[in-house]
Amino acid sequence: MPHLESDVLVVGAGGAGMYAAIAAARAGASVVLLDKSLVGRGGATVMAQMTVAAALGHQEPDDWTLHLADTLKAGRGLCNEELAELLCRGGPERILEMDAWGTRWAREGGHIKQETAPGHSRKRCCYVDFLATGPAVAGTLRRKVGETSGIRRISNVAVVQIAVKGGRALGAVGLSVRDGRLATFHAGAVVLAAGGLTRLYARNSASANMGGEACALALEAGAELVDMEFVQFFPIGHLAPRLVGMDPIMWDPFRYKLGGRLLNGRLEEFVDRYGGTDFGRYTATRDLASYAILKEVEAGRGSPHGGAYLDFRHIGEARLREAFGPVIDRLLANGIDLTKTPVEVGPIAHYHMGGIRVDGKMETRIEGLYAAGEAVGGANGANRLSGNAITEALVFGERAGRSAAARARSGAPPWEASLAEPSIERLDALKKGKGSPGAAWPAMVQSELQRLMWENAGPFRTGGKLAAALERIREMRDELPDLRVGAAGAYNLDIQDWFELRAMLLSAECVVQSALARRESRGAHQREDFAETRPELERNQVLELRDGRLCSRWITPMGRVEADRG
């Protein structure tokens, strides 16, 4: 079995992972940077096309404390204030460092241009251009990783286990996507930067590697998760016609710059039926817009793909081109002419506010195990402020990498081959082909899980639906050993799918169990059977594994003076 040694192991090579690797290397650590796809081209950052929030004060006077106030307001009382402060205080330094590394932020009059986005009290959000902010950020980090000595990049390896002994992380076990073999990685510290979990849902804006693996790996290693019930659903994600090479959440700036009419399947405006006044403008909140669209679908008045129409036909081509010139051409290349045809939109899973519980150094309760980026829970509370996602990736990535390098300098206990035995036993069992000829393939069960999560744990939840989802998820976990896996060795995607599914089921169980326990509506968690926000539940929900069972407790949000409830 291949075995590699390094000071720091970074799992996941999106924005947070690459920044962590750079920070660890410039602190003097040797780094192995792993990704299950291609280093620098997976994860959420490269897919983002929107803006990045940081209180630079270039466009108008601003301060990180004002950014923090907006972040806490959006978080509905549940932000980990220590992490939220790190995010807002550290954002400007990271943006300027990226500028120095070559990110071509849009400029105006010699300064970085900043715009106002929903929820921000200042013009605070910078960007490269409408289509390329995420790819530009990822490209800059990819180049910087390549220029930085001490970073070994390895693609196509999916980490399936964090190796822990005596409460200390010692490395990981990875599965090679190419040849189906396991490999072990010994390190003085491990950074989990493998993203969020929105691929648990049938409708999502996620990349292929956002199935909750980071949360599952951390939980099984002995770390805690926090606020897993808070999944952010973007109300007007693109459903149809087919859109290639463009962000499915791209319609937000169209609406707040130009308006745009939301129409049901009968081409009627409908937001007013649900308490909104959105006609031709962008005034309905995201939760109200999501609710109105889904209720129209339930009533049989949805668009053909189960959403609503977003119509710009009342806006002339000249105005569309003035606001979004090159984007209009990209849409035309996709066969979408906004002057002639409305598009279909609907709520899609977009971001996860919950995740791995860490302290101010990004360290979990497992010594030497860190987290960064969307895998971290708590900074955004019950609802993320627009523009905070890439900022979080950069700030938390840098801090996690620097902290991990410091931890690694204290040395690590030696590697023991027995640490990899759980993964070896699982893989051996799979290769023996226990599944019966009629059993399902892992990819089929993944699809079933995505449908189940969308229908029962989506934007609007009830106790009955959540309980049914929890029961089926636990059945699926019991069925895992009997699934069919092909016998081929190289490029056997069944094996990768099986390990992915195993992690997806554990993360899904965490989301549903937490959602069932939170009997209120708050931020992105909306219960139709508990519509009110309850002051006594202004608490974070923490999950851990005890003897293989998920256990939860409620705590006071970090940064508050009250003690844990226990």
Side-chain angles (χ1 to χ4, degrees):
M1 182 185 303
H3 178 78
L4 290 178
E5 302 265 345
S6 64
D7 295 326
V8 174
L9 172 67
V10 179
V11 181
M18 287 192 285
Y19 223 122
I22 295 165
R26 69 183 176 188
S30 61
V31 179
V32 168
L33 175 61
L34 292 180
D35 198 281
K36 65 189 292 186
S37 58
L38 294 177
V39 167
R41 300 186 188 277
T45 302
V46 75
M47 296 180 66
Q49 295 184 354
M50 310 295 273
T51 59
V52 186
L56 298 169
H58 283 200
Q59 198 70 34
E60 64 177 343
D62 198 3
D63 188 85
W64 70 265
T65 58
L66 300 175
H67 185 187
L68 176 62
D70 292 341
T71 297
L72 298 181
K73 181 180 179 183
R76 310 290 203 278
L78 293 191
C79 289
N80 177 323
E81 295 188 15
E82 182 182 15
L83 295 182
E85 178 180 333
L86 287 172
L87 189 163
C88 298
R89 186 193 285 267
E93 184 178 356
R94 298 281 75 80
I95 294 300
L96 294 177
E97 186 164 62
M98 292 291 292
D99 188 58
W101 289 348
T103 303
R104 296 181 180 179
W105 302 113
R107 282 184 144 76
E108 181 179 69
H111 64 77
I112 294 175
K113 184 175 174 59
Q114 295 181 279
E115 298 280 3
T116 303
H120 289 274
S121 58
R122 296 289 188 280
K123 291 183 176 179
R124 181 177 294 142
C125 294
C126 53
Y127 58 97
V128 174
D129 66 35
F130 181 73
L131 290 174
T133 297
V137 167
T140 300
L141 290 170
R142 200 164 52 241
R143 286 192 300 275
K144 192 65 181 175
V145 165
E147 296 167 359
T148 304
S149 62
I151 302 176
R152 181 170 181 176
R153 296 164 287 175
I154 304 177
S155 299
N156 299 315
V157 172
V159 168
V160 296
Q161 179 197 338
I162 301 297
V164 176
K165 182 178 181 183
R168 175 75 161 85
L170 295 178
V173 182
L175 174 73
S176 167
V177 176
R178 290 178 179 169
D179 60 19
R181 290 193 302 163
L182 295 176
T184 52
F185 300 87
H186 181 210
V190 179
V191 179
L192 272 173
L197 52 65
T198 44
R199 200 166 73 85
L200 294 180
Y201 289 86
R203 288 184 174 178
N204 66 73
S205 63
S207 66
N209 51 357
M210 303 283 279
E213 289 99 324
C215 287
L217 288 168
L219 191 67
E220 291 195 316
E224 295 172 316
L225 306 181
V226 64
D227 290 347
M228 292 294 287
E229 64 270 37
F230 290 105
V231 179
Q232 188 173 59
F233 294 90
F234 185 79
I236 51 170
H238 187 89
L239 300 182
R242 188 166 179 258
L243 187 67
V244 177
M246 302 183 78
D247 193 339
I249 67 160
M250 60 176 288
W251 299 115
D252 214 21
F254 270 79
R255 293 207 72 207
Y256 63 69
K257 276 194 171 184
L258 300 175
R261 301 163 66 209
L262 268 180
L263 307 174
N264 65 16
R266 299 174 182 172
L267 300 182
E268 304 164 336
E269 291 188 289
F270 58 89
V271 173
D272 65 317
R273 297 171 185 167
Y274 306 96
T277 55
D278 200 43
F279 299 102
R281 296 176 294 158
Y282 188 54
T283 55
T285 59
R286 286 182 172 183
D287 53 351
L288 176 63
S290 294
Y291 184 78
I293 291 171
L294 293 178
K295 286 300 175 186
E296 287 296 295
V297 173
E298 274 186 15
R301 297 189 293 267
S303 62
H305 291 83
Y309 290 112
L310 181 58
D311 188 5
F312 297 97
R313 288 177 296 174
H314 58 294
I315 298 171
E317 182 177 354
R319 195 170 160 218
L320 285 168
R321 285 194 172 278
E322 180 184 6
F324 298 102
V327 183
I328 303 303
D329 292 326
R330 290 280 298 275
L331 288 168
L332 286 171
N334 274 279
I336 299 173
D337 185 342
L338 295 180
T339 66
K340 296 179 179 175
T341 309
V343 296
E344 287 185 61
V345 297
I348 60 175
H350 175 51
Y351 181 84
H352 184 222
M353 278 71 69
I356 302 167
R357 190 179 186 214
V358 297
D359 63 17
K361 294 182 179 178
M362 302 292 124
E363 191 171 23
T364 70
R365 71 176 182 179
I366 301 301
E367 185 181 356
L369 180 60
Y370 298 79
E374 191 176 337
V376 171
N380 295 288
N383 197 33
R384 178 178 61 84
L385 187 65
S386 175
N388 272 0
I390 292 181
T391 316
E392 175 183 73
L394 305 180
V395 173
F396 290 176
E398 191 278 339
R399 195 169 186 86
R402 184 157 43 93
S403 301
R407 173 69 72 188
R409 279 195 292 273
S410 65
W415 180 263
E416 296 177 16
S418 61
L419 291 169
E421 285 179 359
S423 295
I424 294 170
E425 291 171 1
R426 288 186 190 109
L427 185 60
D428 286 347
L430 282 175
K431 289 184 173 177
K432 288 177 183 174
K434 287 184 175 179
S436 64
W441 299 96
M444 294 168 61
V445 184
Q446 285 189 14
S447 296
E448 182 191 348
L449 175 64
Q450 289 175 313
R451 292 193 299 273
L452 181 74
M453 290 296 287
W454 179 255
E455 292 167 3
N456 288 34
F460 298 96
R461 303 158 170 177
T462 67
K465 287 184 176 180
L466 290 167
L470 191 60
E471 181 179 356
R472 179 60 189 135
I473 289 168
R474 288 172 174 166
E475 288 174 355
M476 290 174 167
R477 291 187 68 190
D478 291 340
E479 293 164 3
L480 265 173
D482 299 321
L483 297 183
R484 294 177 70 188
V485 173
Y491 296 103
N492 187 339
L493 294 182
D494 293 336
I495 292 176
Q496 183 186 350
D497 289 342
W498 187 91
F499 277 100
E500 275 184 0
L501 175 62
R502 182 173 178 275
M504 291 171 74
L505 287 169
L506 181 54
S507 289
E509 183 173 350
C510 292
V511 172
V512 174
Q513 181 169 312
S514 297
L516 195 56
R518 185 173 286 281
R519 296 185 174 188
E520 64 161 354
S521 292
R522 183 187 298 270
H525 171 70
Q526 295 293 315
R527 290 278 299 257
E528 291 187 288
D529 48 353
F530 293 98
E532 301 298 321
T533 298
R534 296 169 58 190
E536 67 271 25
L537 289 182
E538 193 168 292
R539 296 286 186 271
N540 300 121
Q541 196 172 181
V542 175
L543 291 179
E544 64 181 328
L545 279 178
R546 293 182 198 157
D547 300 323
R549 291 183 59 251
L550 275 178
C551 300
S552 68
R553 71 182 194 279
W554 298 88
I555 65 167
T556 302
M558 286 294 293
R560 307 281 183 83
V561 296
E562 300 171 62
D564 285 12
R565 279 184 158 187

